[in-house]
Amino acid sequence: MVDRDELEGYLNTLLKVSQFKDYAPNGLQVEGRRSIRQLVTGVTACQALLDAAIEQGADAILVHHGYFWRGDSPVVRGMHRRRLAILLKHEVSLFAYHLPLDAHPEFGNNAQLAKRLGLKIEGLLNEQGVGNIGTLPTALSLSAFGEHVEQVLKRKPLLVAGGEHKIQRIAWCTGGAQAYLSDALALGVDAYLSGEISEQTTHSARENNLHYIAAGHHATERYGVQALGEHLAAQWGLECHFIEIDNPA
């Protein structure tokens, strides 16, 4: 068991929240009961995750994508009201960590994705510290690497060929990080992997001879919150469960 506020303080320090300028507040977003014995983790605090967590008797939920994003309407109605209402009714706390969870060198989405794909991390993608560069143990064709990604993530990636070259040196950033393509180009890598792709990304990759792999926003960001939850469970003897809510995007 752990005190709610003690848990927030620990997470804020571990993930170095103060170092990030983010698009949403990091930390405790919805305050629930004081003592936490059972923790549920998930990628996004959607209604399906909330319902499943409450059915399991969770005291708190830890996610990567929470609420109160920059530009969101401040009006509490409809979907927003329903989500907040069920958390408040059952006194379940909601913790959310966005960029800090992407960037953490051990529990972060990018570090955990690298671990699963067998990528050797050699540095950071940009000054923000979000994303990495590294190498594959063996150079692979784009199609062969795409098959490897599909096998690991259980989702077929979208592949954009930037030439005929093989992939050895690669940059990656999970989620909606297609805008970091320019950072990958500046590093002279063979390929860039992210979760999403925009229309203009295809042309930029092709015209700059850079392979692009769009492996899915949800699919690339499943693993950080799982690793973090397992760490918290070991730290305080919590009962922790990851709940997968299918999302093809």
Side-chain angles (χ1 to χ4, degrees):
M1 184 175 69
V2 63
D3 178 83
R4 179 197 63 220
D5 296 341
E6 181 183 358
L7 178 59
E8 182 188 22
Y10 178 82
L11 284 167
N12 288 351
T13 300
L14 176 69
L15 299 176
K16 300 181 179 179
V17 166
S18 62
Q19 295 184 11
F20 294 88
K21 292 182 179 179
D22 214 333
Y23 314 105
N26 290 294
L28 180 63
Q29 292 191 339
V30 179
E31 184 179 283
R33 63 183 67 99
R34 190 90 193 187
S35 297
I36 297 172
R37 294 178 183 275
Q38 185 169 162
L39 177 69
V40 160
T41 61
V43 177
T44 300
C46 61
Q47 190 69 53
L49 179 67
L50 304 185
D51 292 343
I54 288 166
E55 185 176 347
Q56 286 200 9
D59 300 305
I61 301 170
L62 172 66
V63 297
H64 179 49
H65 301 135
Y67 303 149
F68 314 113
W69 297 93
R70 185 188 305 162
D72 279 357
S73 171
V75 176
V76 180
R77 60 189 300 176
M79 180 183 75
H80 191 42
R81 177 195 173 280
R82 291 190 296 272
R83 290 177 173 183
L84 293 176
I86 196 168
L87 288 169
L88 294 171
K89 177 183 177 181
H90 294 275
E91 295 188 274
V92 174
S93 294
L94 177 68
F95 295 87
Y97 292 91
H98 186 233
L99 292 181
L101 186 56
D102 286 322
H104 194 272
E106 182 179 358
F107 305 118
N109 288 319
N110 288 292
Q112 289 294 317
L113 182 65
K115 181 178 179 180
R116 283 161 175 78
L117 292 179
L119 306 175
K120 180 183 177 183
I121 298 175
E122 297 179 343
L124 298 173
L125 176 60
N126 52 43
E127 292 181 355
Q128 280 186 294
V130 181
N132 293 101
I133 57 171
T135 54
L136 286 166
T138 304
L140 296 174
S141 66
L142 176 61
S143 61
F145 183 63
E147 290 173 2
H148 173 58
V149 171
E150 181 177 2
Q151 183 178 26
V152 172
L153 301 186
K154 309 304 179 187
R155 180 194 185 277
K156 190 175 182 64
L158 188 154
L159 306 177
V160 176
E164 299 296 327
H165 58 279
K166 288 189 174 183
I167 300 171
Q168 181 89 63
R169 195 159 181 258
I170 184 170
W172 65 94
C173 188
T174 63
Q178 57 268 53
Y180 290 160
L181 177 68
S182 57
D183 295 302
L185 286 169
L187 293 168
V189 295
D190 303 313
Y192 178 58
L193 182 151
S194 187
E196 298 184 12
I197 187 168
S198 299
E199 188 274 343
Q200 65 268 25
T201 313
T202 299
H203 303 296
S204 295
R206 287 173 177 168
E207 293 174 32
N208 285 288
N209 301 313
L210 179 73
H211 296 314
Y212 190 97
I213 301 99
H217 193 135
H218 177 86
T220 57
E221 295 195 326
R222 289 190 191 111
Y223 307 111
V225 74
Q226 291 185 57
L228 183 57
E230 290 167 3
H231 169 73
L232 297 176
Q235 184 82 3
W236 279 290
L238 302 176
E239 185 178 346
C240 183
H241 302 283
F242 173 76
I243 295 178
E244 169 75 345
I245 304 298
D246 181 59
N247 188 331

